[in-house]
Amino acid sequence: MFANLSRGSACVVFSILFVSFESAGGESLINLNSDTGLSPGVPPASWPSSSSHFEFGFHPHGSGFLLGVWLLGRERTLVWTPFRDDPPVSSDAKVLAANGCLVLRTEHNDDKNITEDQLRSPASYASMQDSGNFVLYDQDKNIIWESFKFPTDTVLGGQNLSKGSQLFCNLSETDCSTRQFRLKMQADGNLVSYSNYDEDIGFAAYWASGTWIPSNSTLQLYLDNINGMLLVRNSHDAGIIYRATLDYDGVFRLYSHNFNSKNKVEILWSVPKPDQVRSLCGLNSYRERNNGSQAHCSCLPGTVFVNQSSPSLGCGKEFIEENCVENKVDAAQYQIISVNNLTWDDFLYVKELLG
């Protein structure tokens, strides 16, 4: 069934719902005391869920380790991390309970509160749930914090993206730091993709929500005009886990991880098309296509990539500005180079009339 979205109506709210009646398994609680701890150098390095599909803990990344929640399978997929813009930690880092909080202690003995904000009561227990939600409880086993309330680039089964919340994509497939694309559940009910460089203005969006059902699937995208929540839930098959991720290229994709079929991973749905993403290339660069192949970024003449491994960071000058001033080279040695067939699709931030 398809539903029409009226942009002019503030009462229409966009939500995505993937329904499940999966039975809840046993939930093991970790007692948070002075002996509690995780370390990449000394086992255990993680706390698994009862199904062993998820785990909270450290995983090798580059020359160090990242702390977060991981979806296991053929490859580990990071679905949540508390410190995505910090560098990886060393094998000397630890997760431990301190002063009623769960903290990451770095190799420099700096303590970082995993929950960032102060808890309303001390944390006594922790649990890595089968849904992928990492949860802290007080001594009465009331939930006082959960990772599902603080998404990074992914929503999982049973997780809500409430009005005003956003997903921010990773810098690249191997770098989980924040990049410039975001997906926002707006207060007016529209689910909208923007570049971080743009304000929440209609014409700055490169995608806005629609609703449809993948063919021959137990999944459906559901337009809910009551609570304004983006809901993604597991199907009837407990062997399949669904995740929706704002990927590093600015495209929002729905994945299935089939643990009944050799951990097969499939893309079920995605929006928008990659060539519709705005601001894919950074400052001083432009997007280019060759014979219909996948778009890539190129630098304007006189500039080079700031980081060759991450072209989306843009380009910088390949000359030293001071040399131009001090040496006062004859202007005849400089040239202005034209670049043909460029289209500027971003809105203007300044306009000058030359006459």
Side-chain angles (χ1 to χ4, degrees):
M1 181 178 67
F2 290 74
N4 294 322
L5 179 65
S6 173
R7 293 181 180 272
S9 175
C11 67
V12 176
V13 178
F14 182 83
S15 298
I16 298 179
L17 176 64
F18 301 102
V19 181
S20 168
F21 297 95
E22 179 181 345
S23 62
E27 182 179 307
S28 58
L29 298 180
I30 299 115
N31 195 352
L32 300 180
N33 52 46
S34 58
D35 297 325
T36 303
L38 296 174
S39 174
V42 180
S46 62
W47 292 321
S49 64
S50 59
S51 67
S52 296
H53 291 333
F54 292 94
E55 64 181 21
F56 169 81
F58 295 98
H59 181 65
H61 185 80
S63 59
F65 298 85
L66 284 181
L67 177 66
V69 174
W70 304 83
L71 172 59
L72 309 183
R74 289 183 181 177
E75 297 181 355
R76 292 172 182 247
T77 301
L78 182 67
V79 295
W80 178 82
T81 181
F83 310 112
R84 66 185 299 184
D85 293 314
D86 291 353
V89 296
S90 77
S91 59
D92 295 326
K94 299 179 179 66
V95 167
L96 46 86
N99 300 319
C101 299
L102 196 64
V103 301
L104 169 66
R105 180 165 294 171
T106 69
E107 59 271 25
H108 306 297
N109 284 324
D110 294 328
D111 286 354
K112 299 180 179 180
N113 192 345
I114 289 173
T115 64
E116 294 190 5
D117 296 329
Q118 190 67 31
L119 300 174
R120 66 173 183 266
S121 57
S124 298
Y125 304 95
S127 174
M128 182 66 257
Q129 298 184 345
D130 283 337
S131 62
N133 192 14
F134 182 66
V135 181
L136 297 180
Y137 302 84
D138 63 16
Q139 62 180 358
D140 296 323
K141 298 181 182 178
N142 298 311
I143 294 177
I144 56 175
W145 182 90
E146 53 186 315
S147 62
F148 269 16
K149 298 290 187 182
F150 305 92
T152 49
D153 68 332
T154 296
V155 286
L156 293 167
Q159 185 174 4
N160 299 335
L161 189 66
S162 58
K163 291 186 291 185
S165 298
Q166 303 182 86
L167 300 180
F168 292 85
C169 73
N170 290 342
L171 181 62
S172 69
E173 290 183 290
T174 58
D175 189 337
C176 68
S177 55
T178 307
R179 199 191 169 190
Q180 73 262 34
F181 300 116
R182 56 191 174 96
L183 181 73
K184 184 172 184 178
M185 189 70 228
Q186 295 187 157
D188 63 1
N190 229 349
L191 183 67
V192 184
S193 295
Y194 296 101
S195 165
N196 271 351
Y197 305 133
D198 296 331
E199 297 181 4
D200 297 356
I201 304 173
F203 60 81
Y206 65 82
W207 177 79
S209 55
T211 181
W212 57 88
I213 303 174
S215 60
N216 301 321
S217 173
T218 59
L219 306 177
Q220 78 179 94
L221 277 69
Y222 176 64
L223 182 61
D224 185 345
N225 62 355
I226 299 176
N227 56 26
M229 295 286 190
L230 174 69
L231 305 173
V232 182
R233 292 183 178 172
N234 287 339
S235 74
H236 300 283
D237 191 342
I240 300 178
I241 290 177
Y242 297 96
R243 67 178 173 93
T245 299
L246 181 62
D247 283 328
Y248 72 95
D249 58 359
V251 177
F252 189 46
R253 295 183 177 90
L254 174 66
Y255 294 85
S256 69
H257 294 251
N258 192 335
F259 290 89
N260 297 327
S261 181
K262 298 180 180 180
N263 296 329
K264 184 178 181 181
V265 180
E266 291 184 284
I267 299 175
L268 303 179
W269 170 83
S270 64
V271 288
K273 295 180 180 179
D275 61 1
Q276 294 176 324
V277 177
R278 297 169 66 108
S279 304
L280 179 66
C281 301
L283 188 66
N284 295 324
S285 64
Y286 57 95
R287 184 167 55 187
E288 185 177 18
R289 296 189 190 91
N290 291 323
N291 299 323
S293 62
Q294 184 175 1
H296 67 276
C297 299
S298 298
C299 290
L300 291 171
T303 65
V304 294
F305 286 118
V306 174
N307 186 334
Q308 287 286 349
S309 61
S310 299
S312 63
L313 292 179
C315 306
K317 298 188 293 290
E318 62 177 343
F319 58 88
I320 300 175
E321 187 173 336
E322 288 76 8
N323 289 348
C324 299
V325 178
E326 294 175 359
N327 296 335
K328 298 186 182 300
V329 181
D330 186 354
Q333 296 187 23
Y334 297 99
Q335 57 181 323
I336 296 176
I337 300 175
S338 63
V339 180
N340 298 324
N341 301 319
L342 285 184
T343 301
W344 303 97
D345 62 354
D346 286 337
F347 59 89
L348 298 175
Y349 58 87
V350 66
K351 184 175 181 179
E352 293 284 347
L353 294 177
L354 301 178

